[in-house]
Amino acid sequence: MATNGDGRRELERLAERIRYHEDAYRRGEPELLDSEFDELYDQYVELADTLGVPAAERLDAAPGADHTEGFETVEHRVPMLSLEKLSPNRKDSRGAPIPLGEQLAQWYARRLKELELAPGARVPLLVEPKIDGISVSLVYEAGVLVRAVTRGDGRSGDVITRQVEESGAVPRRLDGLASGALEIRGELYWPISAFRAHNARLERAGERAIINPRNGCAGLMKRKDPEGLGEAGIRAFLYHVPWTEGVALPDTQSAILGWLRARGAPVYPEDQFARVGDAAEALAYCEAFGARRGALDFDIDGMVIKIDELRWYARLGETGHHPHWGIAYKFPPERKATRLLEVSVQVGKSGKLTPVAHLEPVELAQTTVSRASLHNFVEVERKDIRIGDLVYVEKAGEIIPQVVGVARDARPPDARPVSRPAVCPSCEAPVTDEGIFLYCLNEACPAKVCERLVHFASRAAMDVEGLGDKLVEQLARAGLVSEPHHFFALTLGQLAGLERMGDKSGQNVLDALEKAKARGLAKVLVGLSIRHLGERMAEDLAAYFGSAERLLELAGRYVAGDPEAVAALAPDKGTGAIEGLAKKTADVIFAELDSPRVRAILAGLKERGVSLDAVVERREEIAGVAGKTFVLTGTLPTLKRKDAEDRIKRAGGKTSGSVSKKTDYVVRGDEAGSKLEKAAQLGVAVIDEAELLRLLGGA
Ligand code: IVH
């Protein structure tokens, strides 16, 4: 039997793998199929649930999740939690998949037990679509909308009141509520028809189309100037009321939907949700709904099943991540068959050659798919995919489409095998085999150069606003830029002289470049497109070395085989000073860092005033706080929770979401919950904000 410590270590290992693959995905070099990635993620979520890991410490609820610079952040009065998921990937101990129906039955049986009801009892459930939008919290006082806030990290989110008001998605005033206050939660979404109409307008204006309705909706809600937002046609479905003051609510979720509708709030139409008697009926409704989801004017990624009667909620409770009164049902991914017309080869920024499938266009999850990733040539050979074949394409959620298999029996006689390229399609340099991937190692390869420059300016790296792939391509083609530091030598004349650019847009790019100079070492390292050097590793390296100078000095010694440097950084077994940096990875990263090319880029950046120092959060240990673990509960009188946590961390302390024997202090605020009881049981000291401030003051 695994101990909790083992579980935590396994969870960290899973997290590390997920971060690695997310990073690879963000670099445009995915190494896993989406279904494999989903499976990994589900394993993580399941283990985190089993261990009761609180939201703030989990990958799937990273603090500050969607915070945007320039938006005011406020704390949610009641945290916005996630939902537990039934997953098509869950397996039993022998590796056999557990059918969704069985998972749901198990979940339902656990609820009955917690409610001390007989195993065969029927507790009605409400089943609703799980819309793929952005969650929003709305506070109404005396019937008037006073605040709209994003989910954020679940504890605090960004204030988007004006954006929501302008969007016209929810009423500014609810009918028949002259007094009292309440919070209503729901989902903002972009109806597919409105999204398409908007894209058609963009296209006519010669602008780039928005890729999907969900991200498009999130982008609109973060628009600094919301005037005219109403034209986009954003809509909302509201489904939950976490608290009220002086407002009486009905006692079931389903009746609340009717109550909200009567007050003019947008809720799911009557034929899109159902109150059912038990888990089996809920499953049948989910499956039936899945068959008609293609006809809806919005994307859904599953259904939500909720205990309908609110009187049970307090008894059922919640983890730091999800309440026990609801669960999400995820549809199996939509799959279509289509013809593989051609296979082209794409060159990534690391020189990796990826086969790309060109398909006869097919409608999949509300978008037309005509291209799909084939990942690598080994995969193509393993699946024996041939040009002319009828192939199966899958798309899970918003993720890029994949070719998942071939209809062998429908193979036309003239189907042609996909041949591995012997030379790079961009520069014709010979390609090199590395594991399952093929690489173009020519540093001057035009495709590679361009991809690297685009990556340098991208959000993951230096985040230079306005410097997108089209402009980078123009600059590279004009011979103005071939390495990152060249960006910082651009002049207004050069920028403004490019097609579709002018003085104003040129100056904007220069301003954005100026701003990017202060991003710091970690971002610069990410921008170098070095293999295995993703965001997390870059942060760790920057934090450890503090400056590019020290990093390069050690990289040089490492590459030269200096035993001290090797022993410190990446010993043969396990990892050295930098967690997760194993020998094989270190060899690649340090060799590239030490290369003349990277040294020249870093020197060039420095010369042009780009900061190559780590942006360090100043940490000053305070005795009495350093090394201690704090759990915050309830609302503190003056400090925001996030600020309190930051101050504890800066003083060398740790914060955790749940009380355990390792907790040193529980800090009690207003409306503190069950954590106080737990603290009492375990004999953990409970202090208030004043006491915490005294500790932080060093007294
Ligand atoms: S109830 C404790 N109902 O799904 C959260 N959520 O994966 C209770 N969502 O954060 C949420 N449709 O943003 C609920 N009908 C629905 C939903 C729904 C979409 C979203 C919501 C939530 C996320 C959880």
Side-chain angles (χ1 to χ4, degrees):
M1 168 98 197
T3 64
N4 204 285
D6 286 343
R8 278 291 187 150
R9 268 192 296 281
E10 175 59 22
L11 192 72
E12 198 32 55
R13 269 195 293 273
L14 283 169
E16 198 56 52
R17 284 177 61 200
I18 289 171
R19 285 191 205 102
Y20 172 81
H21 288 292
E22 274 178 341
D23 213 52
Y25 179 78
R26 254 184 260 133
R27 292 194 309 258
E29 299 171 6
E31 294 169 24
L32 292 183
L33 291 176
D34 285 355
S35 52
E36 290 167 339
F37 181 82
D38 281 355
E39 197 170 326
L40 193 64
Y41 208 87
D42 285 344
Q43 273 177 29
Y44 174 89
V45 171
E46 200 169 330
L47 183 58
D49 285 350
T50 313
L51 297 172
V53 179
E57 292 172 24
R58 295 166 61 128
L59 268 191
D60 46 334
D66 76 350
H67 176 65
T68 308
E69 228 176 281
F71 279 79
E72 186 198 347
T73 324
V74 293
E75 193 158 333
H76 297 297
R77 184 152 156 181
V78 177
M80 286 179 90
L81 299 180
S82 291
L83 283 168
E84 190 182 351
K85 270 196 306 192
L86 303 170
S87 160
N89 295 322
R90 193 157 304 158
K91 309 221 166 62
D92 66 16
S93 53
R94 279 165 297 132
I98 308 178
L100 291 180
E102 206 174 306
Q103 293 179 41
L104 179 60
Q106 286 167 5
W107 176 83
Y108 192 65
R110 277 202 301 277
R111 300 296 84 91
L112 294 181
K113 201 166 161 214
E114 281 158 10
L115 296 175
E116 292 170 8
L117 297 172
R122 281 162 66 87
V123 169
L125 298 168
L126 173 68
V127 193
E128 291 169 349
K130 183 165 186 300
I131 187 160
D132 194 17
I134 64 165
S135 29
V136 68
S137 139
L138 308 167
V139 176
Y140 284 88
E141 284 173 7
V144 177
L145 177 67
V146 293
R147 207 162 71 185
V149 185
T150 64
R151 177 171 190 273
D153 63 3
R155 288 182 175 179
S156 52
D158 288 354
V159 176
I160 52 166
T161 317
R162 285 188 50 232
Q163 287 74 2
V164 169
E165 278 177 353
E166 285 290 329
S167 76
V170 303
R172 291 177 190 226
R173 177 181 286 279
L174 293 176
D175 297 335
L177 273 184
S179 63
L182 81 166
E183 180 182 341
I184 311 176
R185 291 184 182 169
E187 211 78 1
L188 294 164
Y189 71 99
W190 207 345
I192 294 163
S193 53
F195 166 75
R196 288 196 176 144
H198 186 87
N199 262 348
R201 280 197 294 274
L202 288 179
E203 240 160 72
R204 277 196 299 276
E207 289 177 48
R208 208 144 15 113
I210 296 169
I211 297 184
N212 71 42
R214 185 180 185 282
N215 293 1
C217 176
L220 288 180
M221 288 302 125
K222 287 293 175 76
R223 203 196 259 177
K224 299 259 159 63
D225 174 13
E227 222 185 283
L229 257 183
E231 282 165 30
I234 298 294
R235 289 290 163 264
F237 285 128
L238 307 184
Y239 45 68
H240 187 56
V241 181
W243 60 263
T244 60
E245 258 172 23
V247 175
L249 275 188
D251 49 17
T252 62
Q253 286 283 14
S254 47
I256 287 178
L257 294 181
W259 186 91
L260 287 169
R261 175 177 301 118
R263 276 149 194 83
V267 292
Y268 291 112
E270 294 278 5
D271 64 341
Q272 287 175 15
F273 64 90
R275 179 180 146 108
V276 299
D278 63 13
E281 288 177 22
L283 180 73
Y285 188 76
C286 289
E287 285 171 351
F289 206 96
R292 55 187 260 238
R293 72 174 156 141
L296 301 173
D297 196 19
F298 46 87
D299 287 333
I300 61 175
D301 53 6
M303 304 293 283
V304 183
I305 302 164
K306 303 172 181 177
I307 306 262
D308 198 32
E309 287 176 37
L310 304 179
R311 67 184 160 125
W312 298 124
Y313 282 27
R315 279 270 287 283
L316 289 169
E318 60 192 37
T319 70
H321 176 260
H322 58 254
H324 286 144
W325 49 254
I327 190 148
Y329 165 98
K330 199 172 158 196
F331 293 121
E334 208 180 328
R335 178 181 285 200
K336 286 268 175 75
T338 187
R339 191 69 60 191
L340 176 61
L341 303 174
E342 199 43 78
V343 173
S344 67
V345 180
Q346 201 176 34
V347 186
K349 64 186 187 324
S350 62
K352 187 190 279 177
L353 304 187
T354 307
V356 177
H358 296 253
L359 306 162
E360 210 160 85
V362 60
E363 282 283 308
L364 194 61
Q366 270 93 37
T367 53
T368 307
V369 172
S370 55
R371 280 156 70 97
S373 169
L374 288 166
H375 295 282
N376 58 67
F377 288 91
V378 172
E379 185 74 21
V380 172
E381 285 152 22
R382 195 171 60 79
K383 292 193 181 129
D384 189 20
I385 298 172
R386 301 194 188 178
I387 297 164
D389 269 342
L390 198 59
V391 293
Y392 297 112
V393 204
E394 234 178 49
K395 196 170 148 203
E398 58 185 274
I399 313 172
I400 46 170
Q402 325 261 333
V403 173
V404 292
V406 177
R408 289 273 179 84
D409 45 356
R411 174 163 287 165
D414 58 348
R416 288 180 285 131
V418 177
S419 50
R420 284 181 181 223
V423 296
C424 168
S426 170
C427 68
E428 302 194 346
V431 302
T432 310
D433 253 29
E434 269 186 38
I436 55 171
F437 296 112
L438 299 178
Y439 285 91
C440 163
L441 297 182
N442 172 15
E443 291 305 332
C445 168
K448 211 164 131 175
V449 166
C450 209
E451 290 292 321
R452 278 204 302 242
L453 292 169
V454 168
H455 172 71
F456 182 80
S458 73
R459 269 187 89 162
M462 298 294 269
D463 195 11
V464 188
E465 215 174 308
L467 199 48
D469 45 1
K470 290 267 149 52
L471 182 55
V472 170
E473 226 172 87
Q474 277 177 288
L475 289 165
R477 245 188 291 121
L480 293 171
V481 177
S482 61
E483 292 290 12
H485 54 295
H486 300 156
F487 283 129
F488 297 94
L490 287 170
T491 63
L492 183 57
Q494 288 170 332
L495 281 162
L498 296 170
E499 215 180 298
R500 285 202 307 273
M501 291 287 285
D503 279 351
K504 184 153 181 280
S505 43
Q507 189 56 48
N508 286 345
V509 172
L510 288 184
D511 292 346
L513 280 162
E514 198 53 41
K515 207 165 138 200
K517 285 183 178 173
R519 299 260 187 262
L521 181 58
K523 295 292 184 186
V524 171
L525 291 176
V526 173
L528 293 174
S529 301
I530 290 177
R531 268 180 306 149
H532 308 308
L533 184 46
E535 284 173 52
R536 204 180 146 87
M537 182 60 71
E539 272 168 26
D540 290 350
L541 287 176
Y544 183 74
F545 289 100
S547 72
E549 213 177 340
R550 247 170 292 161
L551 172 60
L552 287 182
E553 199 251 328
L554 253 238
R557 282 171 48 199
Y558 182 93
V559 173
D562 175 342
E564 218 177 284
V566 174
L569 289 175
D572 273 340
K573 284 213 177 67
T575 56
I578 292 144
E579 174 127 1
L581 181 60
K583 177 101 180 43
K584 249 165 86 183
T585 327
D587 287 351
V588 175
I589 294 180
F590 292 127
E592 292 215 31
L593 280 171
D594 189 46
S595 68
R597 188 184 143 254
V598 168
R599 284 185 176 267
I601 295 172
L602 291 173
L605 289 171
K606 188 172 174 197
E607 200 179 310
R608 294 183 174 102
V610 177
S611 162
L612 299 182
D613 291 326
V615 179
V616 269
E617 246 191 81
R618 241 188 314 133
R619 224 180 117 144
E620 272 174 41
E621 296 211 340
I622 296 174
V625 178
K628 299 269 192 286
T629 302
F630 292 75
V631 173
L632 305 178
T633 176
T635 314
L636 299 179
T638 66
L639 286 176
K640 276 192 194 166
R641 185 181 286 241
K642 176 95 181 45
D643 293 340
E645 287 179 345
D646 286 348
R647 287 184 61 175
I648 292 170
K649 283 184 198 148
R650 256 182 282 135
K654 276 196 285 196
T655 58
S656 163
S658 60
V659 183
S660 74
K661 274 185 281 182
K662 291 202 198 112
T663 311
D664 294 290
Y665 296 104
V666 168
V667 185
R668 180 188 54 200
D670 281 349
E671 292 174 40
S674 59
K675 288 175 189 162
L676 283 185
E677 286 164 36
K678 192 81 194 278
Q681 273 168 25
L682 295 174
V684 174
V686 177
I687 60 173
D688 59 7
E689 185 191 84
E691 185 72 21
L692 172 68
L693 288 171
R694 259 197 300 282
L695 286 173
L696 287 167

